[in-house]
Amino acid sequence: MINVVLAAGYATRMYPLTENFPKPLLEIKGKTILDRMMEDVDSFSQVTEHVIVSNHKFIHIFENWLEGARLRYSKPIRLIDDGSVSNDTRIGAVKDLILAINTLHLDDHLLVAAADNMLDFSLHSLVDFFEEKQNSVIFYYNEPDLAKRRKCGVAVVASDGLVEEIEEKPGNPKTEHVTPPFYIYHKNDIPSILSSVDNGCKFDAPGNLARYIASTDRLYACEMPGHRFDIGSLETYYAMK
């Protein structure tokens, strides 16, 4: 299993703090947001390497981070530069994943995560669920706030965990099951990932790919066993810091 970290965004809602610095490398209580996730995932026996996708504007900052990271983590780390230099020229999370697959010829199961979230639990619970289902898998959590659900991906999940549908930012959500940006894609779904954009999958946010896979292949979801903290604004960052 290969850990693919999507870290090529520009975090415009957190300007000026992130105008010239990547959000995943901001520190919270002495550790970067990225390192908090890496410490967890690097310990998984199933994970063989890490791939981090950055934009071109911030690639040199990730390269500096990588010098120390190679000493801290047991698995090899590779960086991908997606070539974009501004929020207006970004290529989108789904295309970033496709770029990583094509550039590095990735052909194993893919643990895919956004790099700007903090968790109070281990992602190993998703790995365990993946090994149980032997299909692509995602998390969901229950969000009672209707206004928040209207801004997220909302899943319809059967009793066995099969995802029957994912709606992106629905006006009238069918369930309270919101899908956070953590996924494991089975290697058998890599061809579907590679053809997803050509077949109409939107590519700006990673949740669009989960929605596409749910419509074309088998995708399962389990309830998230803890809480995630989306560092999406200056207010939330300074509150966590």
Side-chain angles (χ1 to χ4, degrees), residues 46-76:
Q46 296 90 339
V47 170
T48 57
E49 68 172 309
H50 308 283
V51 174
I52 299 172
V53 186
S54 169
N55 57 56
H56 185 68
K57 180 177 180 179
F58 295 145
I59 191 67
H60 67 285
I61 302 176
F62 280 98
E63 288 170 345
N64 291 337
W65 168 86
L66 184 58
E67 292 180 10
R70 285 184 168 138
L71 301 177
R72 295 193 298 273
Y73 301 115
S74 62
K75 312 295 171 60

Side-chain angles (χ1 to χ4, degrees), residues 127-197:
V127 176
D128 292 340
F129 185 63
F130 170 77
E131 293 186 332
E132 173 192 338
K133 292 298 185 181
Q134 290 299 305
N135 280 277
S136 295
V137 296
I138 60 172
F139 278 135
Y140 72 84
Y141 64 91
N142 291 319
E143 176 52 71
D145 189 315
L146 176 60
K148 290 181 179 179
R149 293 202 306 277
R150 285 174 170 168
K151 298 177 181 179
C152 301
V154 177
V156 178
V157 182
S159 59
D160 64 350
L162 182 67
V163 177
E164 297 177 342
E165 181 184 358
I166 298 178
E167 299 177 285
E168 278 297 321
K169 300 180 180 179
N172 186 27
K174 296 178 181 178
T175 75
E176 295 187 351
H177 298 341
V178 168
T179 58
F182 306 102
Y183 321 88
I184 299 179
Y185 291 113
H186 195 286
K187 62 184 178 181
N188 291 344
D189 283 334
I190 289 179
S192 293
I193 295 172
L194 293 177
S195 63
S196 61
V197 174

